[in-house]
Amino acid sequence: MADREPRPTTVWSRPERGARGPAPERSRYEITTVALALADAEGLAAVSMRAVAQRLGTGPASLYRYVGSRDELLDLMADAVAGELDLSAAPSGDWLGDLVGLALQSKAAHTRHPWLPELNDRRGEVLGPHAIDYLDHALAVLAPAPGTSRQKLEAIGLLGGLATLFARREAMAAAGGGSGAGDPPAQAAHLAAVAAEGRHPHLLAALTTAGPPPPAGPAERDALFERLLRRLLPAMLG
């Protein structure tokens, strides 16, 4: 028996539309753009083939000519966000500065699309064309850096993880409105009160040395994010 043709493993492994049938009325780009707007407005759970079709003014069955399933649509959405990153600048030779710049872009994209970490948690990171471009660009940035190829890939993974973490914290801060459990000053006051009881001397000493917490606005969070990356990345690649 002849070997069977290997089946496509991703939505990008096959043409956008088959050669037969009527001329295409839609495109994957158009469908993905509508799905992104829906997720940004109502959350990832709101994204379904039916909901996207309604926004396009068509029936769900027509979308399956372009996208095989909701999972494939989610993959297209994640890769579309990766395409928002500007990779046009050639590496400057300052690998740490360039990589931090990419990380700030990544964090901003996750902040614009707060559903993205949930998508990656559920689906894993399926690398589409834009994500592969990003990975290749990040490796080009790291070409003059010390470290093995594996260490560089791990550093890029750390960069993405921290971008996701910080974006989640910003989303939580925005949702909390600066009150209750999400209020950093309130948290600091509670921690100081617990430390002052005397049962946690190391915590008390650290808080006394550190002083009051700095402001926690977007600029300060970006600055903290950059400081962490500038400390962690050289240590990983050294």
Side-chain angles (χ1 to χ4, degrees):
M1 182 180 295
D3 290 338
R4 293 184 177 181
E5 286 265 337
R7 296 183 63 186
T9 56
T10 73
V11 65
W12 302 281
S13 302
R14 62 176 186 274
E16 179 163 344
R17 282 283 287 114
R20 298 180 179 179
E25 300 174 353
R26 307 289 178 189
S27 68
R28 285 179 183 166
Y29 174 80
E30 182 183 10
I31 294 167
T32 304
T33 299
V34 169
L36 287 172
L38 186 60
D40 289 344
E42 302 180 31
L44 191 63
V47 177
S48 67
M49 300 295 274
R50 181 176 299 277
V52 172
Q54 286 177 345
R55 288 204 170 196
L56 286 168
T58 188
S62 68
L63 300 190
Y64 288 101
R65 296 161 58 190
Y66 308 89
V67 182
S69 65
R70 180 178 185 267
D71 283 345
E72 287 192 352
L73 179 58
L74 297 180
D75 291 343
L76 289 168
M77 292 166 62
D79 196 59
V81 176
E84 295 177 6
L85 276 61
D86 183 5
L87 309 178
S88 60
S92 69
D94 175 12
W95 65 266
L96 183 55
D98 288 349
L99 205 60
V100 167
L102 282 178
L104 289 168
Q105 283 199 66
S106 178
K107 184 173 78 67
H110 279 78
T111 302
R112 288 193 301 273
H113 307 290
W115 45 266
L116 187 59
E118 178 189 352
L119 187 155
N120 289 336
D121 286 347
R122 291 177 53 192
R123 297 277 299 138
E125 294 198 30
V126 179
L127 294 184
H130 290 116
I132 292 172
D133 287 345
Y134 168 81
L135 180 59
D136 187 73
H137 182 80
L139 288 170
V141 164
L142 285 172
T148 65
S149 295
R150 178 173 296 277
Q151 287 174 319
K152 291 177 181 181
L153 289 169
E154 289 172 349
I156 295 169
L158 172 69
L159 181 153
L162 284 176
T164 300
L165 174 63
F166 270 71
R168 275 178 165 159
R169 289 179 64 87
E170 290 189 15
M172 290 173 61
S179 61
D183 185 4
Q187 292 178 357
H190 170 69
L191 201 58
V194 170
E197 294 174 359
R199 293 185 294 110
H200 305 87
H202 300 290
L203 176 60
L204 177 60
L207 292 175
T208 301
T209 303
E220 288 78 16
R221 285 192 289 267
D222 279 353
L224 174 59
F225 181 61
E226 181 171 347
R227 286 200 304 274
L228 287 175
L229 287 175
R230 288 186 176 276
R231 291 171 185 167
L232 289 172
L233 291 171
M236 290 187 69
L237 298 171

